[in-house]
Amino acid sequence: MRREQEFIDLLYERLAEMRTGAAATVSEALPREGNNAQARLERDVLVAEQSGLLAAFDAGEHGLCFGRLVFRDGRDHHIGRIGIRRDDPERTPLVIDWRAEVARPFYLATGHTPMGLRRRRHLTTEGRRVTALHDEILDLADAVRTGHEGSDADAVLLAALDAARSGRMHDIVQTIQAEQDAIIRAPHDGILVVEGGPGTGKTVVALHRAAYLLYAHREQLARRAVLIVGPNPAFLSYIGEVLPALGETGVLLATPDELFPGVTATGTDTAEAAEIKGRAAMADALAHFVRDRQTLPDPVIVIDHEDGELRLDADLARAARRHARASGLPHNLARPHFAFHVIDALTTQLTERIGADPYGGPNLLGPDDVAQLGKAIAVSSEVHGAIEELWPALTPQQLVADFLAEPVHLPDADADTIRRTSGGWTPADIPLLDEAAELLGEDDSAARAAAEAQRQEQIAYAQGVLDLTYGSRTQEFEDRDDDDSEVLAAHDLVDAEGLADRQEEADHRTAAERAAADRTWAFGHVIVDEAQELSAMAWRLLMRRCPIRSMTLVGDPAQTAEPGGCGAWESILAPYVGDRWHHVRLGVNYRTPTEIMDVAAQVPRSADPSFAPPRSIRSTGVRPWARCTDDLVRAVAETVAREMPGEGRLAVIAPDSRCAALAAALPDASAGTSPDLTRPVVVLGPRQAKGLEFDTVIVVEPVEFGASDLYVALTRATQRLGVLHTEPLPAALAELPTAEAAAATVR
């Protein structure tokens, strides 16, 4: 204990040195204004790099070192959250990053396969103080004993599982199991599906996989960023500290309705409307709706012109439309093709009329005359008005709003269900907006032309600067016989174009920050939690975000609750990768005690008698209970006061329609769209509770839950579960004992 404490003290001293050095570098660099853009760029890069190191150092403060590996060949390594080296010429490692290959025996070695180890040590710390050691002997021929050997190899894991919850998901870097390690370190190419029932750790494994991939493929993924998609804001808040605690801060966390930059989904849909909007058929409906906006005159558009009327009839417009569609470009990008064809046709029409030879000879207008006529037509506001009428420039918001106001190309019943003429955007609208953006495209030709014009101005300005700076000296050099290497060097190293490049301020945002603002960003890897809940349209959006199809999908089809959720992995992935994906299943329940899991499993088993839940590895001896009451609000308040754990967190999970009244009766509870999960008591709807865990859970009026929602609600507790109801219990819960009877059976 003393030697390990001395090592931990040394480790934190070195961490403090590294932190001080990085902070000093940032402090020294920030005031530097620099006399040109290049100097400012170098400063900003240095500040960003050192600030990232500071964030990693701060993240590694808690539980900096948690393990030690002693090999038979004499090697001896401490394992920690981040790698730390001595400040010596050899940069000797003090602590090995848990993601390094040499650290794998800490997670995989067994007595049967010791992987070269003599012993494996777990260090338990509180702050900077070593509080316990647990040694596992892996080489039975080793006679040395420390007095910290334990007979239960799972003691550290079970202690972590029994610890009180804090309202935030903790990393499992100290207790990663072999099956989890294999998933975390799996190749990042292709799509990996991680399926597992409640409590199997699939979410935290996915987060550690993100940390590992960023470590193993730093250059690639730091540039392209990793996207983690979660089901709701409460979930993202719950998992938000895991990756920073592992030293990774450059990851974008978002819900599906946050993936269309510039649009916030504040509205709500009925379940029926959300399900319809999520169908794959909506993509075809929107595509047809876009084509509907590419119209023809009925029968002709007459355009006034100083040389007589121009007639844009259906045949002319149809030919222009056929030409534009043949380009294969999205609507807005194909629009110039339509416009140019119309302008050319109208120019020909005008040329034939005013240049016709009355004696039947060739047209009297020369090429220059025709060109002048074409220019006049091209700048005509009346012509552009006609083009806009037949092939309008559209925005995704405009297109989807018009579509929802009159949802054509859908069955009448579906159209009536989703029809909307006002109100804010809903979560189910976000994939529609993204689809519309793909169908329309963005015509950035004007912006590119403006940017190029600005660049040419910068080059001209830079050339003037060079002429003023070096011009006279160059003339002196030409008039002299001797060499002037300084002038030559200046001209060799700096030209006008290079100097102009230096004047452009670089974008110093992180990759994650830039990705959040760019709808077309292609991520290096995407992790999706509760993947079974996403609709077909949401999957179209996500697949666009990762064209290389490097993804980790996490979920459990048995927990599918959203009406539009795809559920089965085959239906999700077949349209994009066929059967070219890998599937793994986690079968051990680390969260839910046997007593609670036995009750919860009855819910899916009532519909599918063959249902097999994940195997719980813990038993608390505390049975779940149920109580019937005629006053739910009062009963909830009394139960919370009685069941509130001394440490940890309690959740009241109730039908959405009841949450507000229950929260009002619990003045210290947190509730709402983004509840504070660190508060001792929270009130949640069942969808909000997905992926979360609490020490104690009170489920209210379960008969009002859907089967999937009830299964989720019943499996959130790590210690105690109670049910309060006024209506008869669902058949799956009918055998629950009263609180008094359950208490009498506690072992």
Side-chain angles (χ1 to χ4, degrees):
M1 288 282 286
R2 178 178 54 80
R3 286 195 295 270
E4 293 293 3
Q5 184 64 62
E6 290 172 352
F7 176 79
I8 294 295
D9 292 340
L10 171 65
L11 197 56
Y12 277 102
E13 288 175 9
R14 177 61 184 142
L15 182 67
E17 292 173 1
M18 296 166 68
R19 183 186 286 116
T20 300
T25 301
V26 172
S27 298
E28 292 171 4
L30 280 175
R32 300 177 194 162
E33 288 297 330
N35 55 10
N36 56 42
Q38 182 70 20
R40 292 193 294 274
L41 171 61
E42 292 172 355
R43 175 204 63 192
D44 291 345
V45 169
L46 178 63
V47 169
E49 180 185 81
Q50 295 299 310
S51 296
L53 285 175
L54 276 173
F57 296 155
D58 291 340
E61 172 76 23
H62 173 71
L64 182 58
C65 176
F66 54 80
R68 184 174 183 175
L69 300 177
V70 180
F71 289 85
R72 284 182 288 191
D73 62 7
R75 288 178 295 151
D76 190 334
H77 299 307
H78 281 84
I79 308 299
R81 295 176 180 279
I82 58 176
I84 296 180
R85 294 177 178 270
R86 294 181 184 272
D87 186 17
D88 58 23
E90 292 76 24
R91 304 287 292 163
T92 308
L94 273 172
V95 171
I96 302 295
D97 192 300
W98 68 274
R99 295 166 288 189
E101 188 65 23
V102 72
R104 291 204 77 181
F106 187 77
Y107 303 110
L108 301 182
T110 65
H112 185 267
T113 309
M115 301 179 71
L117 287 183
R118 283 201 302 119
R119 67 178 58 235
R120 170 172 51 206
R121 169 170 289 174
H122 294 266
L123 288 81
T124 302
T125 57
E126 291 182 5
R128 300 186 178 190
R129 185 170 62 90
V130 179
T131 58
L133 303 179
H134 184 277
D135 286 348
E136 297 176 59
I137 303 299
L138 297 172
D139 181 0
L140 298 181
D142 182 8
V144 176
R145 294 295 180 266
T146 66
H148 296 284
E149 288 78 15
S151 58
D152 185 357
D154 292 326
V156 176
L157 172 62
L158 294 174
L161 297 177
D162 284 330
R165 267 44 191 174
S166 65
R168 292 287 184 265
M169 177 180 280
H170 294 301
D171 63 76
I172 58 168
V173 66
Q174 188 173 355
T175 58
I176 293 171
Q177 303 299 292
E179 66 171 355
Q180 297 171 331
D181 183 80
I183 295 170
I184 290 169
R185 298 172 190 265
H188 82 293
D189 297 330
I191 295 181
L192 174 66
V193 173
V194 183
E195 182 179 334
T200 53
K202 52 190 180 295
T203 296
V204 73
V205 167
L207 295 175
H208 285 67
R209 175 165 168 76
Y212 171 76
L213 292 177
L214 284 164
Y215 172 85
H217 307 280
R218 176 73 62 189
E219 183 176 349
Q220 175 185 350
L221 295 183
R223 186 174 65 252
R224 298 310 311 165
V226 172
L227 170 65
I228 297 179
V229 180
N232 55 59
F235 176 84
L236 294 183
S237 173
Y238 178 63
I239 69 171
E241 295 180 2
V242 174
L243 284 167
L246 298 173
E248 300 296 345
T249 57
V251 176
L252 178 62
L253 276 68
T255 61
D257 50 302
E258 294 174 326
L259 293 177
F260 193 87
V263 172
T264 302
T266 58
T268 56
D269 278 313
T270 64
E272 294 79 8
E275 188 274 328
I276 293 169
K277 290 180 180 180
R279 295 175 187 169
M282 292 297 293
D284 290 334
L286 284 171
H288 282 100
F289 191 67
V290 170
R291 292 174 71 88
D292 290 346
R293 304 301 294 270
Q294 301 162 2
T295 59
L296 300 174
D298 184 20
V300 65
I301 297 176
V302 178
I303 302 170
D304 291 332
H305 190 271
E306 61 183 9
D307 293 315
E309 293 180 344
L310 298 174
R311 297 178 64 80
L312 204 173
D313 59 21
D315 288 340
L316 189 159
R318 185 177 291 106
R321 184 174 69 178
R322 185 166 55 248
H323 175 74
R325 288 177 174 175
S327 71
L329 295 171
H331 174 88
N332 287 336
L333 299 182
R335 186 174 184 270
H337 292 262
F338 178 83
F340 292 149
H341 195 283
V342 168
I343 291 168
D344 287 347
L346 292 178
T347 301
T348 299
Q349 183 183 121
L350 186 59
T351 299
E352 290 176 350
R353 184 168 72 241
I354 67 175
D357 184 347
Y359 299 106
N363 195 284
L364 300 176
L365 298 179
D368 291 344
D369 299 319
V370 175
Q372 285 298 111
L373 290 177
K375 289 180 181 178
I377 291 174
V379 299
S380 166
S381 58
E382 289 82 2
V383 170
H384 281 281
I387 291 171
E388 178 66 21
E389 178 182 341
L390 300 178
W391 195 295
L394 299 169
T395 66
Q397 290 89 331
Q398 178 186 356
L399 183 77
V400 175
D402 291 347
F403 175 78
L404 293 177
E406 191 53 51
V408 295
H409 306 295
L410 292 176
D412 291 344
D414 292 346
D416 291 341
T417 301
I418 69 170
R419 183 175 284 108
R420 186 184 76 216
T421 57
S422 61
W425 297 112
T426 71
D429 293 335
I430 300 302
L432 302 187
L433 290 167
D434 197 71
E435 189 74 27
E438 287 294 307
L439 291 168
L440 296 176
E442 182 179 357
D443 184 2
D444 61 351
S445 56
R448 284 188 284 106
E452 180 60 26
Q454 182 180 17
R455 175 171 171 74
Q456 293 304 319
E457 290 179 6
Q458 290 172 335
I459 292 174
Y461 174 79
Q463 186 62 58
V465 171
L466 290 174
D467 290 343
L468 286 173
T469 304
Y470 298 114
S472 60
R473 297 191 64 193
T474 303
Q475 186 60 50
E476 293 175 8
F477 166 71
E478 291 173 350
D479 293 340
R480 292 165 52 185
D481 295 332
D482 57 332
D483 182 23
D484 189 337
S485 59
E486 183 180 352
V487 174
L488 286 174
H491 280 296
D492 285 344
L493 297 178
V494 182
D495 61 13
E497 188 169 351
L499 187 60
D501 288 340
R502 295 184 184 184
Q503 304 307 310
E504 298 178 2
E505 289 290 347
D507 186 347
H508 305 315
R509 294 174 298 170
T510 66
E513 291 169 336
R514 286 182 282 129
D518 185 354
R519 189 195 71 82
T520 63
W521 189 272
F523 288 91
H525 193 78
V526 174
I527 293 175
V528 186
D529 203 292
E530 302 293 348
Q532 76 282 349
E533 301 288 3
L534 298 186
S535 69
M537 289 299 292
W539 279 112
R540 289 176 66 86
L541 179 156
L542 282 175
M543 290 295 176
R544 292 186 193 107
R545 299 298 187 271
C546 192
I548 63 174
R549 303 291 190 262
S550 176
M551 308 178 87
T552 303
L553 311 184
V554 178
D556 179 13
Q559 297 183 63
T560 306
E562 294 293 339
C566 291
W569 302 119
E570 291 79 3
S571 61
I572 292 172
L573 297 173
Y576 306 103
V577 294
D579 60 357
R580 300 183 305 279
W581 49 279
H582 186 58
H583 177 271
V584 293
R585 182 172 181 83
L586 294 169
V588 177
N589 188 335
Y590 298 97
R591 175 205 304 141
T592 317
T594 300
E595 293 82 359
I596 295 177
M597 199 64 215
D598 287 345
V599 171
Q602 296 305 315
V603 176
R605 195 171 284 146
S606 62
D608 178 10
S610 65
F611 173 77
R615 177 178 59 84
S616 296
I617 65 169
R618 298 165 56 241
S619 176
T620 61
V622 180
R623 296 182 63 191
W625 53 264
R627 177 178 292 123
C628 185
T629 178
D630 56 4
D631 187 341
L632 273 178
V633 174
R634 177 177 56 81
V636 167
E638 293 175 352
T639 302
V640 168
R642 182 177 63 253
E643 296 286 341
M644 186 64 212
E647 291 185 84
R649 301 295 181 270
L650 182 149
V652 176
I653 303 179
D656 293 332
S657 60
R658 296 182 180 270
C659 284
L662 295 176
L666 300 167
D668 295 330
S670 180
T673 304
S674 299
D676 181 358
L677 300 176
T678 65
R679 296 277 288 274
V681 181
V682 294
V683 179
L684 303 165
R687 307 287 170 87
Q688 283 182 296
K690 273 185 169 292
L692 309 183
E693 59 182 38
F694 306 90
D695 298 87
T696 301
V697 170
I698 307 299
V699 176
V700 177
E701 207 66 284
V703 74
E704 296 181 11
F705 288 64
S708 178
D709 286 342
L710 181 56
Y711 183 51
V712 169
L714 294 172
T715 54
R716 299 305 97 191
T718 66
Q719 301 293 337
R720 305 175 69 88
L721 172 67
V723 176
L724 293 172
H725 61 104
T726 60
E727 299 295 326
L729 289 172
L733 304 182
E735 301 302 319
L736 275 178
T738 65
E740 294 73 19
T745 62
V746 174
R747 295 193 296 272

